[in-house]
Amino acid sequence: MTDDALKDPDRLDGVAHPRETAAVFGHAGAERAFLSAWTEGRVHHAWLLCGPPGIGKASFAYRIARFVLSQREIDLSGFFAEPPPPPDSLDAEFDGPDARQIAAGAHPGLKEIRRPFNAKTGKFGKVIAVDDIRALKNFFQLSAAEGGWRVALIDPADDLNIAAANALLKLLEEPPERCLFLLVSSAPGRLPPTILSRCRTLEFRPLSAAQARSAIAKAADPAPEDVDALLRLSPGSPGEALRLDALGGARLYGQVVELFTTLPEIDRRRLHMWLEEIRSADALEGVGRLMRIAFERQARAAALGPEAGLLDGPAEDALGARLGPGAGPARLWAEAATDTFERIDEALRLNLDPRRTILDTALHVEALLRPGFVAPQRG
């Protein structure tokens, strides 16, 4: 296993990767559903693990993989041989050989499919391509040792391009014996209906605040100091909270909010000074994500009214007051969030200049929101 093979597009410095995570918080319903299918001998060959990003879907997928790959056929030929009692959880010995191999990315029974790393460019591919899926055919043709299983884990399945999705469909239509597909998805609507119809779905929900804090404390060393602030920006999603922390966190979010508090016209001087710090794709992703979060929070607050208490602190309150509550402002804020996501996503895909992208996006949002402002009445 080479170092490049262990590079992950979703890995954060100082944070355990899902394959290295023993504890999974919440999602008891998903565990019961899979365990019930297993103990009753009706395990579907393909499972779709779907839900919002950062809530533990990938960690749960590796939990399933550790459990399945640690199972062995029991020889019942002996007179006194008896089958073991059915498992009551998906726990597997985390220090056992299977778990250690999985954590190292070296288990012969597990094939992980994700956006590939290009050692020459030092970057990850934009999609999961057809050759990545075709590699599963050879993987499944290898005989599993000791009567075990083979598991293909695709994370995220949302990154499949059209050709890769079609190749996966062929495998799902005629699955090999004792093979399991685990598809992780935050946007199952992007997947073809033909793939969705061949998967059994496990739906995942955001964690409680206590569960999210516990997950962050377990995954990050050390945990961020402003965990509560991060979780307010990404409620129920410890993974997103940690990603926001890596991208600048609550401090950068405050700068984003303050930039727009001068609407209907952004302070040009402050904007250009701020842009000097945005020089990389990571910075572009971070600022774009925080802009979208800010606008989404304003949209919900405008729709539900001040009494909902959704805004946090004087800067967000001041920004919300610029348009006020109501259906019209809520629609404008929601449109600003959608437009920001689309512009940043396109810029990241096309490797556009980060500072120019943020400048154009900020000015477009300014123009988009201007109709929501009502001039004060003259006395």
Side-chain angles (χ1 to χ4, degrees), residues 123-183:
K123 297 180 179 180
F124 290 95
K126 301 297 183 184
V127 297
I128 296 173
V130 64
D131 288 342
D132 303 315
I133 297 300
R134 285 173 177 163
L136 286 175
K137 186 174 182 180
N138 292 333
F139 169 71
F140 285 139
Q141 286 174 346
L142 299 175
S143 58
E146 302 178 25
W149 286 68
R150 291 202 172 274
V151 177
L153 197 161
I154 304 175
D155 179 27
D158 313 327
D159 287 341
L160 293 165
N161 66 15
I162 295 176
N166 289 335
L168 176 62
L169 178 60
K170 292 180 181 179
L171 291 173
L172 295 179
E173 288 175 336
E174 299 180 5
E177 290 186 5
R178 298 182 71 79
C179 289
L180 187 68
F181 294 84
L182 300 175
L183 282 65

Side-chain angles (χ1 to χ4, degrees), residues 34 58-60 81 106 109 127 155 162 171 183 188 202-203 223 229 245 251 259-260 266 281 283 285 316 332 351 365:
F34 186 87
S59 295
F60 194 90
V127 297
D155 179 27
I162 295 176
L171 291 173
L183 282 65
L202 291 177
E203 294 188 1
D245 182 60
R251 178 191 63 82
L259 178 66
F260 288 93
I266 296 175
E285 180 187 3
E316 277 197 316
L332 288 173
N351 294 317
V365 168

Side-chain angles (χ1 to χ4, degrees), residues 279-286 348 351 354:
R279 297 179 177 273
S280 67
D282 286 344
L284 171 61
E285 180 187 3
L348 290 170
N351 294 317

Side-chain angles (χ1 to χ4, degrees), residues 176-229:
E177 290 186 5
R178 298 182 71 79
C179 289
L180 187 68
F181 294 84
L182 300 175
L183 282 65
V184 179
S185 173
S186 297
R190 296 182 184 177
L191 296 173
T194 47
I195 287 182
L196 297 177
S197 66
R198 285 164 174 79
C199 295
R200 177 168 174 182
T201 299
L202 291 177
E203 294 188 1
F204 290 74
R205 301 285 183 240
L207 304 183
S208 69
Q211 289 170 338
R213 290 192 195 94
S214 297
I216 289 175
K218 191 72 174 179
D221 183 24
E225 294 181 358
D226 50 358
V227 168
D228 289 339

Side-chain angles (χ1 to χ4, degrees), residues 29-44:
E31 176 142 344
R32 286 193 300 269
F34 186 87
L35 194 60
S36 174
W38 178 270
T39 55
E40 294 174 12
R42 51 180 180 83
V43 179
H44 196 67

